[in-house]
């Protein structure tokens, strides 16, 4: 009986996860998967009520689930965003979910902002390093609030961290029969950390002579993603660049409401699945949030749980909704998030 920790979080996180869970519950019942959902209240409401984001024991407790399903974290009432960092980045760091796997896949060409692109032109995955880089909080502030103040945010790149994400990208390409791995950094300007990325990339690439490799500085990567996205199979990059380029990738595939992700550690078997988008306070509470990113993330979770055919089936159902204009407003449709999920379930 697979146990799934459901953390709706904040804002539209609640709305999209409710729909994602309905879809999962439908498949569970239909196929006898016996999925067991346990709701965990980590988010802004609890933080504001109790001062707690997530305790060390609760974080440890997450290790016991077969998968974690997350909505989004971030609430305008918590200006410092401290609870979101402690819960979201806390999970990524403390559970050592070093792979942030973010597929960019065009399901319906009409939603692509680039002209003359077909689904076969846009199907790559981003391997975003998820446990270090500029996200660790290493640094500090000095003479805060004075004219002489200084703020330092240090980028941390460990040999282990860089190597394992690059290895994961190559292993994925090989296992899926893909041809190309592109690494992106900014080693022309950042000569310590990103020189390490360069060296490790060359070293690991030498073990995969059958794969084509490419390197782009991240500024040119964004240009190439727009100009010629066909060239990419797998992109591997650091934490911050991966964050930025996957919002660009989301738009290329039809919008942030369609972008799914998995935060994975294949060695420990711990994994967390979430849409790429955030809590969208600007539309929260209206029932209009697009649930498809959360639903596709649920599909990734089903694959992780050993049901890859269900991920494909779910993707086909989502594609059908897009093809038949059964979509939310930001995609030009009229449906609520719940109605989009109804359409997915009907198709299943
Ligand atoms: P956002 O992704 O929440 O929203 C950006 C824009 O996209 C908004 O206009 C929003 O309405 C729209 N949008 C996002 N998801 C949508 C959906 N499913 N359907 C329709 N429209 C959608 O980014 P933001 O506004 O920068 O962030 C809001 C909060 O979310 C912040 O606190 C941020 O830190 C947080 N955030 C959390 C995560 C996460 O938990 N993984 C990810 C990104 C942002
Ligand atoms: C994401 C988000 C987070 C990130 C924020 C909320 C810290 O943008 O998951 O893409 O930058 O990783
Ligand atoms: Mn992001």
């Amino acid at each position: 009986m697979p146990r799934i920790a459901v953390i709706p979080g904040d804002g539209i996180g609640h709305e999209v996860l409710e729909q994602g869970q309905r879809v999962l519950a439908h498949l569970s019942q239909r196929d006898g998967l016996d999925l067991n959902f346990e709701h965990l209240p980590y988010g802004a409401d609890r933080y504001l009520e109790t001062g707690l984001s997530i305790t060390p024991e609760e974080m440890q407790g997450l290790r016991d689930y077969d998968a974690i399903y997350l909505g989004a974290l971030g609430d305008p009432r918590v200006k410092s965003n401290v609870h979101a960092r402690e819960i979201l980045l806390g999970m990524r760091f403390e559970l050592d979910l070093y792979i942030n796997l973010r597929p960019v896949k065009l399901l319906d060409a009409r939603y692509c902002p680039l002209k003359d692109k077909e689904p076969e032109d846009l199907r790559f995955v981003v391997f975003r390093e998820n446990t270090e880089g500029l996200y660790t909080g290493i640094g500090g502030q000095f003479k805060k609030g004075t004219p002489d103040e200084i703020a330092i945010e240090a980028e941390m790149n460990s040999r282990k961290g860089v190597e394992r994400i690059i290895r994961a990208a190559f292993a994925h390409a090989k296992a899926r029969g893909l041809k190309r791995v592109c690494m992106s950094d900014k080693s022309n300007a950042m000569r310590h950390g990103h020189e390490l990325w360069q060296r490790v990339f060359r070293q690991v690439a030498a073990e995969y002579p059958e794969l084509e490799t490419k390197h782009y500085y991240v500024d040119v990567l964004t240009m190439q993603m727009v100009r010629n996205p066909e060239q990419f199979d797998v992109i591997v990059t650091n934490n911050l660049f991966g964050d930025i380029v996957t919002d660009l990738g989301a738009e290329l595939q039809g919008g942030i409401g369609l972008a799914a992700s998995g935060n994975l550690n294949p060695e420990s078997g711990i994994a967390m699945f979430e849409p790429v988008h955030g809590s969208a306070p600007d539309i929260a509470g209206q029932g209009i949030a697009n649930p498809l990113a959360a639903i596709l993330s649920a599909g990734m979770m089903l694959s992780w749980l050993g049901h890859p055919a269900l991920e494909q089936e779910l993707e086909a159902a989502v594609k059908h909704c897009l093809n038949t204009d059964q979509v939310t407003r930001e995609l030009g449709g009229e449906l609520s998030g719940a109605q989009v999920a109804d359409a997915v379930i009907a198709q299943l």
Side-chain angles (χ1 to χ4, degrees), residues 102 128 135 243-244 246-247 276:
R102 296 188 157 186
R128 169 189 178 189
Y135 275 63
D243 176 47
I244 297 168
T246 54
D247 264 32
V276 169

Side-chain angles (χ1 to χ4, degrees), residues 37-259:
F37 302 100
E38 293 175 41
H39 281 249
L40 303 172
Y42 315 141
D45 283 342
R46 183 172 93 146
Y47 176 74
L48 289 167
E49 270 162 38
T50 66
L52 286 178
S53 53
I54 183 166
T55 67
E57 295 72 32
E58 288 167 340
M59 187 62 81
Q60 287 306 314
L62 290 173
R63 295 175 181 275
D64 298 335
Y65 292 90
D66 295 288
I68 304 163
Y69 190 35
L70 177 78
L73 289 152
D75 186 302
R77 293 171 299 167
V78 186
K79 295 267 175 295
S80 66
N81 207 35
V82 57
H83 76 294
R85 277 200 306 280
E86 287 179 2
I87 300 167
L88 176 67
L89 300 186
M91 280 193 273
R92 292 177 182 167
F93 293 166
E94 288 170 46
L95 304 177
D96 204 26
L97 306 175
Y98 67 90
I99 299 171
N100 194 331
L101 178 60
R102 296 188 157 186
V104 176
K105 192 165 184 179
L106 181 63
L107 295 177
D108 183 324
R110 293 173 307 144
Y111 295 100
C112 182
L114 306 178
K115 68 175 189 296
D116 303 332
K117 294 297 173 203
E118 294 302 326
E120 58 271 22
D121 297 327
L122 253 155
R123 43 181 72 247
F124 60 88
V125 292
V126 177
F127 274 71
R128 169 189 178 189
E129 202 294 319
N130 213 25
T131 54
E132 46 185 65
L134 265 165
Y135 275 63
T136 63
I138 296 176
Q141 294 183 329
F142 183 51
K143 299 187 180 178
K144 188 173 177 178
T146 75
D148 295 330
E149 76 179 315
I150 292 172
I152 294 178
E153 203 80 55
E155 191 186 82
M156 196 271 268
N157 295 279
S158 70
R159 170 79 198 198
K160 172 181 147 189
V162 173
E163 187 168 334
R164 65 185 181 175
I165 189 69
I166 289 177
R167 285 196 178 282
F170 276 97
H172 177 90
K174 184 167 183 180
R176 306 284 164 119
L178 303 171
K179 294 195 190 71
R180 292 167 289 226
V181 179
C182 173
M183 190 275 277
S184 189
D185 62 25
K186 193 65 191 166
S187 52
N188 49 354
M190 302 175 70
R191 58 200 188 94
H192 305 302
H194 295 195
E195 190 274 336
L196 176 62
W197 277 79
Q198 289 274 331
R199 226 168 344 110
V200 175
F201 185 63
R202 280 197 301 273
Q203 181 204 323
V204 176
E207 298 172 27
Y208 292 87
E210 68 279 25
L211 297 178
E212 276 173 46
T213 57
K214 182 126 213 159
H215 168 264
Y216 286 128
Y217 299 123
V218 71
D219 45 354
V220 173
L221 174 68
T222 60
M223 185 203 111
Q224 291 290 349
M225 281 172 67
V226 171
R227 174 142 307 272
N228 186 13
E230 303 86 327
Q231 70 185 292
F232 298 112
D233 289 336
V234 178
I235 294 171
V236 59
T237 190
N238 66 39
N239 206 339
L240 180 66
F241 296 167
D243 176 47
I244 297 168
V245 303
T246 54
D247 264 32
L248 174 57
E251 280 306 312
L252 297 180
Q253 75 184 100
I256 192 81
L258 295 174

Side-chain angles (χ1 to χ4, degrees), residues 295-315:
I295 290 172
L296 291 167
S297 302
M300 293 177 75
M301 180 161 75
L302 287 169
S303 266
W304 179 265
L305 294 172
H307 308 288
L310 290 181
E311 180 182 12
Q312 283 174 14
E313 198 187 338
L314 209 41
E315 191 180 289

